[in-house]
Every structure is written in C-alpha cells, then in structure tokens.
Amino acid sequence: MKHYLQFKDFSAEEYGYLFARAALIKHKFKTYEKHHTLLDRTLAMIFEKASTRTRVSFEAGMYQMGGSVVHLTTGDSQLGRSEPIEDSAKVISRMTDIVMIRTFEQTKIERFAAHSRVPVINGLTNEFHPCQVLADIFTYIEHRGSIAGKTVAWVGDGNNMANTWLQAADLLGFTVHVSTPGGYEVDQSIAGVRGQHSYRVFANPLQACEGADLVTTDVWTSMGYEAENATRMQAFASWRVTNVMMAAAATDALFMHCLPAHRGEEVDADVIDGPQSVVWDEAENRMHVQKALMEYLLLGKLE
Ligand code: CP
Ligand code: NVA
C-alpha cells in the first residue's frame, strides 16, 4: 500500500504515468465520457484548515469516478476534541477506502498514515502541498511540454509550496530559482533534497526571474501563521511578482499561483489577470490529477 504524503514519495517514472493518465481522465471529463473506475469506493476528507479548491476538486473528482465522499473538519468531529490521531486513523480507515488530510504539522499526517489501513493523501501541511505541485507541473506540460531542464522562479515565502517545488525539481530534473526575504528562506532539510544542484538562491527576486520558464508565487502569510501577518507584510513588500519581473523571464514564460491570491500583495493584478497567467487551468487541473492519483493509489497502473 502506498501513501502520498510528500512529492518525493513517487518516482519520476510514476509521475510520467500519472501525467499521461490525468490527460486521459481530463479528456473524458471534457467529452462527458464516464470514468467510473472507483465505483463504490469512499474517500474521507479531513480538513483542519480552510479550503475551496482542495475540497471541490477531491469531492467532485471522487463522485465523477463513481465513488462517494465523507467530509470531516476539526470543529464537527472528535478530531477537535483531542481523540488521538492514531485512534482516528484506525477507525476512519476501517470504513473508507482512501483518506485525504489537510492539517498543520507533517508529523500529524505521518502518524495518521502509520495507523491507516488505506492510502493517505496530503491535501496540504505546513511543510508540503504535493497535490498542488502535481497539478502545476501537469499544467506546465499541457502548455509547454516537458519541464525537464527548465527553470522555475519561486518568489516569496520559503513555505509548503516552495519545499514541494524543491522536491519536484530534484526528482524531475529542472531548476528552481528561489528568492525569499531574509528570515523566510527554504530549509533544505525539510525538503530533504540531495543538494543544491536543483535549486539556486537569489537575494533579489528580479534576478531569480531572469530567463525563467515559469514564475510562481504564493501568499505572504500561509494558514497557521496569521499571527505573523503584520511583520510579513513589511518583510515581503519587495517580493511581489510584477510585470517587470515577468519581462525579465523568458518571452514565453508562464505565471502560476496555487490560489487563493491577494492582488497587490504577492502578485500584481495585471500579472495574475494577464496573458501569461495560467492560474485557472492550474486550479481546474487539481481535479484531473487527483482523480489519476486516487485511482493509482487504489488500483495501481491501468491499461
Ligand atoms: N490551492 C489550494 O490548495 O486551494 P484551497 O486552499 O482553496 O484548497
Ligand atoms: N501556502 C499556502 C497555500 C494555500 C493553498 C498555505 O499554506 O496557506
């Protein structure tokens, strides 16, 4: 049994399969062709943080595959009343076929997975957001072909998305140019990447964008860090993706943002709403890649 707790849980070869499968699943969705490979399977979704895209994409995706969904939050379950994670994992995984969790520390999802009878998917932790980067790379491939050998500029916080991009670059053979304010750097030991060959650090965000094939950013304050908001607003003021940064990137560079976005903070409106932005494809693709992911975790490779 496999879990998907961080990007490096799968090999490059498995990603090749998933991207091809997601393309097929997306085509069937677009042409109203049934794809009921998870008939009668049940997905449990546990949210300890807010969500729009993750909830809708997993829930709609599971129904489209013939399955059903149970939605739990901290506030309306015993999870918020200190039932041990291990006990919750044992119970929930006896009644459902697959579990998606959005929570705080990565250790919480690891503890759940260690006591689960069924596959567990990371729907975002403080450390990682693998489903998002899965969708982002699928989106890149749709628009530009293989990401191998390309350069991705990360402008902003050294957060869960940044850590996941580092893992993806290490695995799939591209380079990340990382620019964060001082004190918000990526921690190589969290990403667990083998060295700095797949990423380069830039003090200046404009330099990080020079020649990049993809420019991407994220909120200045991630969920769980709201108490730091005022300090972060000051520290991140120069880490806003602007048209000047996009002009420094490759002429056919794409812009991505996992959303939700704050126009005028981490990105200017004319960038996220401009011609190089693929953020709506990126959001939609969450559903297609996660359908491929759930199918793979439950049934293995098909065809
Ligand atoms: N990008 C993302 O995970 O969005 P939600 O927080 O809306 O799920
Ligand atoms: N880094 C953000 C991503 C939200 C989808 C957060 O963790 O809040």
Side-chain angles (χ1 to χ4, degrees):
M1 184 179 69
K2 274 179 178 293
H3 300 296
Y4 191 56
L5 306 185
Q6 44 185 304
F7 200 89
K8 68 176 184 183
D9 285 349
F10 287 168
S11 65
E13 189 270 328
E14 286 174 301
Y15 281 112
Y17 169 79
L18 282 176
F19 294 137
R21 191 73 186 166
L24 172 88
I25 288 171
K26 180 171 182 175
H27 176 75
K28 290 177 78 173
F29 174 77
K30 295 289 181 187
T31 53
Y32 299 97
E33 201 182 324
K34 273 197 179 121
H35 186 75
H36 281 180
T37 49
L38 298 185
L39 210 57
D40 297 333
R41 305 289 181 117
T42 305
L43 164 71
M45 302 193 298
I46 301 171
F47 285 99
E48 299 209 282
K49 292 175 176 170
S51 168
T52 297
R53 280 144 288 269
T54 303
R55 174 160 182 196
V56 176
S57 56
F58 270 105
E59 189 158 338
M62 195 58 180
Y63 285 126
Q64 288 162 20
M65 290 196 292
S68 56
V69 176
V70 177
H71 176 253
L72 289 165
T73 66
T74 310
D76 65 11
S77 69
Q78 302 291 3
L79 291 160
R81 297 181 62 250
S82 308
E83 181 165 14
I85 292 173
E86 292 76 6
D87 293 2
S88 302
K90 286 176 190 164
V91 172
I92 293 166
S93 70
R94 280 182 180 236
M95 301 180 195
T96 60
D97 300 285
I98 188 162
V99 180
M100 188 287 307
I101 304 178
R102 168 168 286 195
T103 188
F104 293 88
E105 297 79 19
Q106 183 74 8
T107 49
K108 287 180 90 172
I109 198 168
E110 283 167 0
R111 280 166 59 201
F112 192 104
H115 294 86
S116 172
R117 287 183 166 189
V118 302
V120 176
I121 297 172
N122 182 346
L124 182 146
T125 56
N126 290 350
E127 288 86 351
F128 300 113
H129 197 2
C131 292
Q132 183 67 54
V133 175
L134 185 64
D136 294 0
I137 294 174
F138 179 73
T139 307
Y140 186 87
I141 294 168
E142 271 190 326
H143 284 268
R144 296 284 183 265
S146 172
I147 199 164
K150 303 289 183 180
T151 299
V152 175
W154 176 266
V155 175
D157 193 13
N159 64 10
N160 43 12
M161 283 295 299
N163 291 332
T164 309
W165 273 110
L166 291 197
Q167 289 195 344
D170 201 43
L171 242 148
L172 301 180
F174 59 93
T175 305
V176 186
H177 287 183
V178 184
S179 182
T180 70
Y184 300 92
E185 294 86 357
V186 282
D187 180 343
Q188 189 180 315
S189 68
I190 292 177
V193 293
R194 289 169 290 183
Q196 278 208 9
H197 67 277
S198 56
Y199 77 97
R200 288 180 62 195
V201 174
F202 293 80
N204 181 341
L206 182 62
Q207 279 174 357
C209 294
E210 277 171 14
D213 301 290
L214 166 63
V215 177
T216 185
T217 186
D218 189 6
V219 289
W220 289 345
T221 306
S222 285
M223 292 181 280
Y225 298 84
E226 290 80 0
E228 301 173 12
N229 197 40
T231 322
R232 284 172 172 265
M233 291 287 270
Q234 293 195 341
F236 283 79
S238 302
W239 277 263
R240 168 181 307 130
V241 178
T242 61
N243 265 332
V244 176
M245 290 185 196
M246 292 308 296
T251 45
D252 67 343
L254 299 175
F255 173 77
M256 291 191 196
H257 188 311
C258 63
L259 306 177
H262 299 81
R263 289 168 178 78
E265 291 185 20
E266 74 274 7
V267 61
D268 276 343
D270 52 2
V271 171
I272 193 168
D273 299 319
Q276 288 166 285
S277 173
V278 290
V279 296
W280 313 122
D281 288 345
E282 190 188 352
E284 177 192 325
N285 283 335
R286 286 289 302 278
M287 184 174 80
H288 306 304
V289 297
Q290 288 161 194
K291 286 166 78 175
L293 173 66
M294 290 191 284
E295 191 189 73
Y296 178 61
L297 289 171
L298 286 171
L299 306 176
K301 286 184 187 165
L302 301 175
E303 288 172 8

